[in-house]
Amino acid sequence: MKPVDAERRKDSGLLVGGPGGWRGLVIRHPSIHLGRYCFQPGWSMTLLTLVLVSLLVMLGFWQLARAEAKVQLIDRYEKNSALPAVDLNAGDLNGQQLDYRFAAADGEYRDAPFILLNNQIYQGRVGFHLLNLFRLAESDQYLLINQGWVPATAESKPMITASRFNLYNNQKVQGMLVPVPRVGLRLGELRYQPDAPVMELPYLDLSWLGQVLHVDLQSSVLLQDAQLVGQYRQQRETLWLDPERHRGYALQWFSLALALVIIYLVTNLKRPDSS
C-alpha cells in the first residue's frame, strides 16, 4: 500500500469515528456540570420527554379553552333566560340568537312519527327524550318539541307504549328554546321507516329530519314546560355547564407535565464518580 493511501485512510477514520469526527458529535450526549454533579441526558430520553410534555401541555390548554367556552355559554344562558318570552308566531326567527330564550307558540301537532332520542341520561339512569313535530299557526314553519325524558326498560325500550304517547291536544306550546344536542361520534346511521309510529334515533340532525319528513324546521328545539307533560321529566341543561371541572382537568395535565420534567431532570443528574 502506498504511504499516501494510508494517510488518506487514517484521515477519513478520524473524520468519521475519531474524537473530532462528525459521528462523535452526533452520538456524544451533551453534558452540563453543576458543581459536583453532571447533567447528561440521552438523546432518546430527551426527545421522548419533549414530545410527552408538549402533548400534556396542549391537553391542558385545550381544557382551559373548553372552560372559557363554558363560561361564555353560562353568560349567554343567564342573559337570554332573563329576557321576555319570544312569540314564535311573530315571523321567521331563523338566524336570530334565541338559544335559552323562553318562548311560546300557537299551532298544532303534525300527524308524524314520534321521535325518541336514545341513550339520554337522567340522574344516572338511561332513557329517551320524546320529541314531536309542531306546526306553527298560519305558517309552513315547524318546530321540534322536546316533551322531556322517559326512562328505558331492561330491554332498552321506552317505559311507555306508543298508544300512550299523548299530545294532550294542545294548540299552544311554551318552554325554553335550546340548541340541538351536539354529537361527538356519530355512531350508527339515521333511518326512517314511513309506516312506523315511532322513530328512534341515536342523535338529532335537523337537516336530515326536515328532508325525510318534508318540513321546514326551526333551528332550535323547544324544551316544553313540565306542567304540560306531567309524566315526563324536563331538564334545563345547566348542570353540565361547569367550567371548574375543565380547569381541574387542565391542572391535572399541567401537573403531569411538570412531574415528567422533574423525573427527566432527576434521572439524568448524576455524580461523575457514581458511575
Side-chain angles (χ1 to χ4, degrees):
M1 183 181 293
K2 295 181 180 180
V4 175
D5 294 337
E7 289 296 327
R8 288 178 178 175
R9 290 177 179 273
K10 181 179 178 181
D11 292 341
S12 63
L14 288 175
L15 288 173
V16 173
W22 62 268
R23 184 177 295 177
L25 290 175
V26 172
I27 297 177
R28 187 172 55 192
H29 299 158
S31 60
I32 301 175
H33 293 277
L34 301 171
R36 300 173 59 186
Y37 293 88
C38 179
F39 178 70
Q40 190 173 12
W43 287 110
S44 58
M45 182 177 289
T46 301
L47 181 60
L48 179 61
T49 302
L50 182 61
V51 171
L52 291 178
V53 169
S54 300
L55 178 61
L56 293 173
V57 170
M58 288 175 58
L59 289 172
F61 281 113
W62 173 62
Q63 289 293 341
L64 289 180
R66 294 195 65 188
E68 180 60 28
K70 293 291 180 66
V71 169
Q72 296 178 5
L73 195 57
I74 291 174
D75 182 65
R76 186 172 62 177
Y77 176 90
E78 293 177 347
K79 289 181 179 178
N80 287 3
S81 61
L83 295 174
V86 178
D87 181 8
L88 296 179
N89 299 106
D92 186 7
L93 300 175
N94 280 323
Q96 299 187 29
Q97 295 296 328
L98 299 178
D99 291 345
Y100 308 115
R101 289 284 300 271
F102 287 100
D106 294 313
E108 60 183 0
Y109 285 99
R110 180 184 172 180
D111 184 14
F114 295 92
I115 300 170
L116 288 173
L117 184 61
N118 59 25
N119 294 323
Q120 302 301 306
I121 308 298
Y122 178 73
Q123 294 182 350
R125 188 174 178 182
V126 179
F128 300 83
H129 279 181
L130 174 63
L131 303 105
N132 293 283
L133 280 180
F134 186 83
R135 182 178 179 272
L136 300 180
E138 300 179 359
S139 172
D140 292 330
Q141 293 282 321
Y142 284 81
L143 185 65
L144 198 59
I145 308 296
N146 186 340
Q147 289 191 287
W149 180 89
V150 60
T153 64
E155 294 77 20
S156 299
K157 299 297 182 181
M159 199 173 289
I160 186 171
T161 61
S163 61
R164 293 178 59 197
F165 288 147
N166 193 355
L167 298 177
Y168 299 95
N169 297 319
N170 289 322
Q171 300 300 312
K172 186 179 185 67
V173 292
Q174 60 188 35
M176 174 180 281
L177 292 169
V178 296
V180 176
R182 293 180 298 175
V183 182
L185 295 176
R186 298 200 171 196
L187 302 176
E189 297 181 358
L190 297 178
R191 299 178 180 179
Y192 171 59
Q193 186 176 353
D195 297 332
V198 177
M199 181 189 300
E200 185 175 333
L201 302 176
Y203 56 87
L204 278 183
D205 186 332
L206 295 188
S207 176
W208 179 86
L209 273 176
Q211 291 178 6
V212 299
L213 298 178
H214 307 291
V215 296
D216 185 9
L217 279 173
Q218 295 282 338
S219 58
S220 298
V221 176
L222 184 75
L223 184 59
Q224 196 171 8
D225 280 346
Q227 63 266 23
L228 300 180
V229 281
Q231 176 175 352
Y232 309 119
R233 309 289 195 275
Q234 273 58 50
Q235 297 171 293
R236 296 288 186 256
E237 300 186 16
T238 56
L239 296 179
W240 61 274
L241 300 177
D242 184 10
E244 292 303 323
R245 182 181 62 179
H246 295 289
R247 294 192 181 107
Y249 291 154
L251 180 60
Q252 291 179 5
W253 292 123
F254 290 141
S255 299
L256 288 174
L258 179 60
L260 191 58
V261 171
I262 293 175
I263 293 173
Y264 169 76
L265 296 175
V266 171
T267 55
N268 290 285
L269 190 63
K270 301 178 182 179
R271 295 180 61 176
D273 56 354
S274 63
S275 57

